[in-house]
Amino acid sequence: MQINKVGVIGAGQMGNGIAHVCALAGFQVLLNDVSKDKIEAGLATINGNLSRQVKSGKITEAQRDGALKNIGAAPSYEDFGACDLVIESAVEDEAVKRKIFTAVCPHLSDTAVLGTNTSSISITRLAASTDRPEKFMGIHFMNPVPLMELVELIRGIATDEQTFNSVKEFSLHLKKTIAVAEDFPAFIVNRILMPMINEAVYTLYEGVGNVEAIDLSMKLGAHHPMGPLELADFIGLDTCLSIMQVLYEGLADSKYRPCPLLVKYVEAGWLGRKTNRGFYDYRGEKPVPTR
Ligand SMILES: NC(=O)c1ccc[n+]([C@@H]2O[C@H](COP(=O)([O-])OP(=O)(O)OC[C@H]3O[C@@H](n4cnc5c(N)ncnc54)[C@H](O)[C@@H]3O)[C@@H](O)[C@H]2O)c1
């Protein structure tokens, strides 16, 4: 099945990144979110990020203009009627995602494939809230989408081979490299990455090191490009906590218990870069550690 038109639900950091790379690769893209303002903000971010790519010589002005022409706003699911593929990238909350799938399915063509960018939630369980489990799968992009090479592909129990092959072709067309993961909590990348980030928060919570020492240790001592707390702020602490909860509940093992300090930051609304405060405070000229 040929994919030409792509719908994206959620215009946050991942949704706008997915729309960005799809439009640049020549797909027609429609972007949806809960309000027109959120869609506009997503489109403005894409515009800014494309301009940055022109400035750094990664793409030409003509490619930027072409990409912008390929993207439109879709305030309503009715706009998705002609989409061959719709990718859900709303918040990491199973109830929200299930509600979206129930609402969007009646507006999709019979042949449309539905994907989710979930970081951790069961593809099989999400598929069960759609009218097309065989045309449903996990398409897990990495952050920031325009820079990161990998896409994890996850089949649900019912995903058919045609769907998998179409999404694989689509991902390769975006010039991404794919890794196939089985449908277990948090798949491959976050099964490994998120417990490390959670452990970094425990290290902070127990006073083993402060924010600066922990990030410095992992950057200079383990050659990680970003410290784990810096990375958590970049991902979004709400997303990190949701993933740890999925791991904890899904694998029923206390080693995945979310650190109480991570819970506290999320309860405070200190979600990282997107709210200007997390393990670092981003409101000044330079990020300042909050502990
Ligand atoms: N942040 C990361 O590093 C990362 C990486 C890979 C995958 N993901 C996954 O991508 C998804 C989105 O994460 P994000 O980092 O972009 O979060 P975000 O907070 O930046 O954006 C979430 C967006 O979803 C929108 N939204 C909420 N309810 C909605 C609804 N009912 N319909 C449409 N839009 C709705 C919000 O308004 C917001 O714009 C999550 O499932 C997350 O686990 C995140």
Side-chain angles (χ1 to χ4, degrees), residues 3 37 100 199 264-265 271 280 289:
I3 291 169
D37 286 354
I100 289 173
E199 201 59 31
K264 190 181 277 192
Y265 269 66
L271 308 182
Y280 293 85

Side-chain angles (χ1 to χ4, degrees), residues 185 191 195 198-199 202 243-259:
R191 171 77 177 263
N198 194 48
E199 201 59 31
Y202 270 114
I243 297 169
M244 285 313 299
Q245 281 161 341
V246 169
L247 280 167
Y248 185 53
E249 285 158 23
L251 298 168
D253 189 331
S254 63
K255 76 178 177 183
Y256 299 111
R257 186 171 73 104
C259 179

